[in-house]
Amino acid sequence: MPGLIFELFVMLLVILAAAELFTNALEHLGERLGISEGATGSIFAAVGTALPETTVPLLALFAGTTDQGVNEEIGVGAILGAPLMLATLSSCLMALSVLRRRGLAGRIRPEHSGFVRDLNFFLFAFSLAALAMVVPHDANYLRGALSFFLASLYFIYTLLTLRASGKLVEGGHGTEADEKMILSRLGLPTNLATMTVQLAASVGLLVFGAEGFIHGVDGVARLLGISPLLLSLLIIPIATELPEKVNSILWVRRGKDTLAFGNITGAMVFQGTLLPAIGIMLTPWEPRIEVLTGVLVTLAAAAWMRFHARPGGIPVGLLLANGGLYLAYLAVTLAG
């Protein structure tokens, strides 16, 4: 048992380091390309820090354990647990980080149009992914069509976000990298070549860390007698979503609310479209009680943020309720 815990801890550190490398390079890429904070946060940073969630289910399904059932449960847990964590705990922790400074009535002010666009796309796509759980397993063409449509939604979302970027840059929402690129701290120049090298290195580390984490989760689940699905719903997202939480907390404390929230909501769109598309095609994708509970809590948290989204921002106190939803989910799931 101590060996498995140590393995999980080491792979967690690998995943975090890799995501930090990726995000750091993407910030500089956004600045070099002259795109908005919204596009950098919602697309580049969000995809970068969402890569662990992508590699975990893929590796679980194609190169996981010898037990295909375990692989499928870990895959589904990683796919659905990630947006649950982002919509609830991540947004709550971001609010807590500025609670003392801004107060309960203070506001976090992401760029409104991008914030609303992210939540609208997520709510629509994730609702569709939830409905796909009742599609019969042998309805391959329908499942394939739903999967393709979800993937297409992310492509449309990306186009709309990048199209809006130019006007936002003109309005003063251009991306600025606050910190030096990590490879540049070693004496290398900051250019497209070194950005590419740093991105490639981080992807390799992400794949390595995710593969090790899969085996660790399977081992702990067997020792504790807990289903791999439940464990992966709770543990894998905590590990893989830490980059979003840490980066968003740093950004919001520096007053970069658009980057902070875009990093969370952009990852939610990524995880509400492309990852369920994978799950629909490669897993049973059925409404088990722990899965359905997580989906409903995720949609409730996202709808809560969308309902309270205003041009002047969203109150800090309202975001704390999202953390309450996560605690409620834990209580219901663990009690069952």
Side-chain angles (χ1 to χ4, degrees):
M1 183 68 171
L4 289 173
I5 298 298
F6 179 73
E7 180 184 0
L8 286 173
F9 178 72
V10 171
M11 292 306 165
L12 167 59
L13 293 180
V14 171
I15 289 171
L16 290 176
E20 178 61 29
L21 279 171
F22 202 106
T23 302
N24 173 259
L26 285 176
E27 281 187 41
H28 283 270
L29 182 62
E31 184 176 51
R32 176 65 62 90
L33 296 177
I35 58 178
S36 68
E37 283 187 329
T40 301
S42 294
I43 297 178
F44 293 106
V47 170
T49 50
L51 280 177
E53 297 91 295
T54 307
T55 55
V56 167
L58 287 177
L59 287 172
L61 292 169
F62 292 113
T65 70
T66 56
D67 189 330
Q68 184 60 28
V70 168
N71 295 341
E72 290 175 350
E73 288 195 354
I74 292 176
V76 171
I79 290 170
L80 296 177
L84 166 67
M85 181 69 62
L86 284 171
T88 57
L89 191 58
S90 293
S91 57
C92 175
L93 289 177
M94 182 178 64
L96 280 173
S97 71
V98 293
L99 177 60
R100 184 174 180 181
R101 185 178 303 175
R102 303 190 191 186
L104 285 172
R107 291 177 176 268
I108 297 178
R109 295 181 171 85
E111 192 278 315
H112 182 65
S113 64
F115 182 55
V116 169
R117 179 174 57 249
D118 286 3
L119 291 175
N120 285 345
F121 264 90
F122 174 76
L123 285 167
F124 176 68
F126 206 64
S127 297
L128 188 63
L131 289 174
M133 290 182 178
V134 301
V135 175
H137 293 172
D138 57 356
N140 294 326
Y141 288 109
L142 180 55
R143 282 188 165 230
L146 287 170
S147 183
F148 177 78
F149 182 68
L150 284 173
S152 300
L153 277 178
Y154 190 73
F155 177 72
I156 295 170
Y157 162 79
T158 302
L159 289 179
L160 291 176
T161 302
L162 291 176
R163 182 177 296 176
S165 177
K167 291 183 179 179
L168 292 173
V169 171
E170 293 175 4
H173 292 283
T175 302
E176 295 180 2
D178 289 332
E179 299 180 357
K180 238 179 138 176
M181 201 172 78
I182 291 173
L183 286 184
S184 298
R185 299 171 196 170
L186 304 177
L188 297 175
T190 301
N191 54 37
L192 289 176
T194 52
M195 290 175 194
T196 302
V197 169
Q198 186 168 316
L199 289 172
S202 64
V203 169
L205 283 174
L206 282 168
V207 172
F208 173 75
E211 186 172 19
F213 207 88
I214 290 168
H215 289 282
V217 167
D218 180 40
V220 172
R222 291 178 185 274
L223 284 175
L224 297 179
I226 299 174
S227 80
L229 173 61
L230 179 57
L231 200 61
S232 59
L233 275 168
L234 300 177
I235 292 182
I236 287 179
I238 291 176
T240 56
E241 296 307 331
L242 279 175
E244 276 100 333
K245 289 198 289 290
V246 173
N247 287 331
S248 292
I249 286 171
L250 291 175
W251 273 324
V252 78
R253 288 179 65 84
R254 294 170 187 164
K256 294 192 171 186
D257 294 4
T258 298
L259 277 172
F261 241 131
N263 194 32
I264 290 176
T265 56
M268 287 169 61
V269 177
F270 181 86
Q271 294 156 356
T273 53
L274 297 182
L275 295 191
I278 295 170
I280 291 169
M281 291 301 298
L282 301 180
T283 73
W285 202 253
E286 52 193 14
R288 291 173 54 171
I289 184 62
E290 56 267 59
V291 170
L292 191 58
T293 303
V295 167
L296 293 177
V297 169
T298 303
L299 288 172
W304 176 257
M305 289 191 288
R306 176 61 185 91
F307 180 76
H308 292 286
R310 300 289 185 275
I314 183 169
V316 171
L318 290 177
L319 289 173
L320 299 181
N322 288 31
L325 284 173
Y326 182 72
L327 293 177
Y329 168 73
L330 284 181
V332 170
T333 305
L334 294 178

